[in-house]
């Protein structure tokens, strides 16, 4: 199976350099340094096939206001890589001469087409740029905060507090009873789209406890044998999907209508068919989603 979309970021995050403001300033004066423009949460992508991230030089930053400051993403072959948020510009493609060369696509639409390393960098850039855009004020005292450490924290000088980009853990689980798997659909999803059940891990809860709680809350099913399989960064806006499997010890579904429109058991052959192409009763998530991986892995496992 191909790599999980948004995994495989090749950058060395070089954490010690983040704290070295002089080093960061020097890198932003080097021609070799690469800067990824991000505009309204979309990374700049080169036109043509296959799409790739489009990198600019630090000259892009000449004459710009200090805010928002570039975020240091990391090093690749000794070259510093930054992301810069151009969202305050009405038309950066024209302003910076990218028109006809590159564009700002929706990351969800383009992520599965980008080389794996590029998608990982795009996820990192989108998530941290978005965090800065929405955390300009201190949650403790309400004063304005400033970026710090290459953009990996924000500092409030009024109350001397430091704030860090958040990553929200989400449990996503494929529940099976052997020959069938449990899938659910939210009211907003087009029919007949179903996916694995999912929910945020809450405060004071293990991943396994979150899986058991969410399945019981959403579908009324009691599960055991929760197993972690793989994870996926999901920067919409700041999730980490924690893919699990679980075995159902009860079968009767009771749907919580505030969370799901419907939940149902699907036989293995129905799911295998839907992985090839949507059927009248079932469409499953696309390969870029970890739910797809969980579902596919189950169909390929002997005796599930
Ligand atoms: Zn404060």
């Amino acid at each position: 199976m191909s790599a999980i979309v948004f995994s495989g970021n090749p950058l060395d995050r070089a954490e010690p350099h983040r704290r070295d403001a002089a080093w960061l300033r020097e890198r932003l004066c080097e021609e070799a340094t690469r800067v990824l423009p991000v505009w309204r949460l979309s990374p700049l992508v080169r036109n043509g096939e296959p799409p790739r991230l489009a990198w600019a030089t630090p000259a892009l930053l000449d004459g710009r206001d200090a805010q928002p400051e570039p975020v240091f993403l990391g090093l690749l072959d000794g070259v510093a890589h930054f992301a810069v948020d151009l969202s305050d510009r009405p038309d950066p493609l024209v302003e910076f001469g990218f028109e006809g060369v590159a564009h700002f696509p929706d990351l969800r639409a383009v992520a599965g087409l980008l080389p794996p390393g590029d998608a990982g960098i795009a996820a990192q850039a989108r998530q941290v740029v978005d965090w800065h855009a929405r955390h300009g004020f201190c949650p403790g005292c309400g004063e304005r905060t400033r970026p710090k450490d290459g953009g990996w924290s924000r500092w409030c000088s009024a109350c001397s507090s430091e704030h860090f980009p958040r990553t929200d853990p989400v449990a996503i689980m494929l529940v099976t009873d052997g020959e069938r798997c449990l899938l659910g659909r939210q009211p907003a999803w087009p029919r007949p789209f179903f996916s694995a059940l999912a929910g945020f891990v809450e405060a004071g809860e293990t991943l396994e406890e979150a899986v058991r709680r969410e399945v019981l809350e959403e579908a009324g099913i009691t599960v055991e044998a929760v197993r972690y399989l793989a994870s996926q960064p999901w920067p919409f806006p700041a999730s980490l999907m924690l893919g699990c499997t679980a075995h159902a010890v009860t079968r009767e579904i009771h749907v919580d209508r505030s969370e799901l429109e419907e939940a149902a058991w699907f036989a293995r052959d129905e799911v295998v068919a839907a992985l090839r192409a949507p059927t009248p009763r079932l469409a499953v998530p696309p390969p870029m989603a970890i739910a797809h991986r969980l579902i596919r892995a189950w169909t390929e496992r002997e005796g599930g």
Side-chain angles (χ1 to χ4, degrees):
M1 222 182 280
S2 56
I4 289 175
V5 172
F6 298 126
S7 73
N9 184 336
L11 297 179
D12 168 4
R13 295 177 184 238
E15 195 273 339
H17 285 309
R18 292 176 183 172
R19 287 175 268 123
D20 188 341
W23 184 89
L24 290 168
R25 270 196 306 276
E26 285 168 22
R27 298 291 81 71
L28 284 168
C29 295
E30 283 182 347
E31 179 72 16
T33 291
R34 306 177 89 192
V35 177
L36 179 66
V38 178
W39 186 65
R40 299 177 189 177
L41 301 181
S42 291
L44 189 65
V45 169
R46 283 203 316 234
N47 294 350
E49 296 295 329
R52 299 211 54 153
L53 291 181
W55 295 91
T57 68
L60 179 84
L61 306 168
D62 289 351
R64 274 181 58 78
D65 301 337
Q67 300 278 350
E69 289 179 16
V71 173
F72 176 59
L73 299 176
L75 293 169
L76 185 63
D77 299 329
V79 174
H81 289 59
F82 291 82
V84 65
D85 187 3
L86 302 179
S87 299
D88 61 339
R89 303 302 226 242
D91 194 349
L93 290 181
V94 170
E95 181 178 351
F96 298 104
F98 301 132
E99 205 177 16
V101 179
H103 62 299
F104 289 103
D106 176 26
L107 183 55
R108 281 179 200 262
V110 81
L113 307 173
L114 289 171
D118 278 17
I121 294 170
Q124 180 192 11
R126 185 192 201 276
Q127 187 167 328
V128 74
V129 161
D130 179 42
W131 177 74
H132 282 288
R134 294 188 293 123
H135 290 78
F137 295 90
C138 177
C141 74
E143 287 299 319
R144 199 173 280 280
T145 58
R146 287 193 51 79
K148 185 172 172 281
D149 295 346
W152 288 94
S153 79
R154 295 188 71 91
W155 177 252
C156 174
S157 54
C159 72
S160 299
S161 63
E162 190 169 8
H163 307 277
F164 299 92
R166 54 188 284 174
T167 296
D168 303 325
V170 177
I172 181 162
M173 47 276 174
L174 189 70
V175 175
T176 69
D177 70 352
E179 273 310 297
R180 303 179 303 169
C181 72
L182 177 69
L183 301 175
R185 45 173 286 104
Q186 294 179 9
W189 295 350
R191 286 193 171 275
F193 185 86
F194 282 80
S195 186
L197 305 188
F200 287 106
V201 180
E202 293 193 349
E205 189 174 51
T206 68
L207 173 60
E208 293 83 354
E209 287 163 350
V211 168
R212 289 195 289 269
R213 174 183 55 76
E214 281 289 342
V215 178
L216 188 59
E217 279 177 9
E218 293 190 358
I221 301 285
T222 301
V223 298
E224 61 177 18
V226 176
R227 298 279 180 272
Y228 165 78
L229 229 65
S231 64
Q232 180 182 37
W234 194 252
F236 308 102
S239 293
L240 177 64
M241 310 300 289
L242 301 166
C244 296
T245 60
H247 184 77
V249 293
T250 63
R251 304 287 189 275
E252 194 176 333
I253 295 170
H254 297 282
V255 170
D256 174 0
R257 299 266 172 209
S258 67
E259 303 226 22
L260 292 179
E261 181 179 88
E262 186 183 354
W265 291 104
F266 291 89
R268 188 185 297 254
D269 54 356
E270 278 185 283
V271 176
V272 168
L275 282 166
R276 282 196 291 265
T279 68
R281 194 169 112 88
L282 178 62
V284 295
M288 78 173 275
I290 197 167
H292 182 102
R293 319 277 298 210
L294 297 173
I295 293 167
R296 182 174 289 279
W298 171 67
T299 64
E300 291 170 354
R301 210 157 48 229
E302 287 295 321

